Amino acid sequence: EVLMHVYERPAASWRLVIVDLRAEADDLGLPLCMRLPPDEDPRAVLRNLPDEDAIHLCLLAEGAPAPGDVAFEICRYLFGPEALRRHVSVASGGWPAVVD
């Protein structure tokens, strides 16, 4: 689904926004995604994005989501009482699944 929304850009009433949270992000990446600078607080940046039904955030990490992983924990935070975002997910398999 990540690749379909990046490369095929389906006509839809909503937009999938991929947020690349890889700490060791190299020059490889998706052509359309948010990559945050290392000095930015991803929780603050993502909490302050517009919360609209048309925007779905998909967090992309180094690997599969698991407790303790940055994408997993930020997803939990964004669903929590401080942010209350409605449309957030974590890419299953992380970056290795996208590359494969």
Side-chain angles (χ1 to χ4, degrees):
E1 181 133 0
V2 167
L3 294 176
M4 182 182 78
H5 280 271
V6 169
Y7 288 103
E8 295 178 16
R9 302 188 77 177
S13 60
W14 57 278
R15 186 80 181 131
L16 185 68
V17 177
I18 310 299
V19 183
D20 190 341
L21 295 172
R22 295 178 295 146
E24 300 296 321
D26 49 23
D27 290 339
L28 294 177
L30 296 170
L32 297 172
C33 70
M34 282 182 69
R35 288 179 103 174
L36 304 178
D39 59 336
E40 291 282 344
D41 175 13
R43 291 175 188 236
V45 171
L46 298 175
R47 181 184 62 236
N48 292 323
L49 288 176
D51 186 16
E52 301 173 7
D53 279 338
I55 299 174
H56 181 103
L57 299 178
C58 180
L59 310 179
L60 179 65
E62 278 105 358
D69 171 68
V70 66
F72 182 89
E73 296 302 330
I74 289 175
C75 185
R76 285 179 43 169
Y77 168 77
L78 292 172
F79 274 129
E82 290 184 49
L84 293 173
R85 288 203 70 103
R86 293 168 286 191
H87 307 290
V88 182
S89 64
V90 179
S92 178
W95 180 249
V98 171
V99 172
D100 288 342

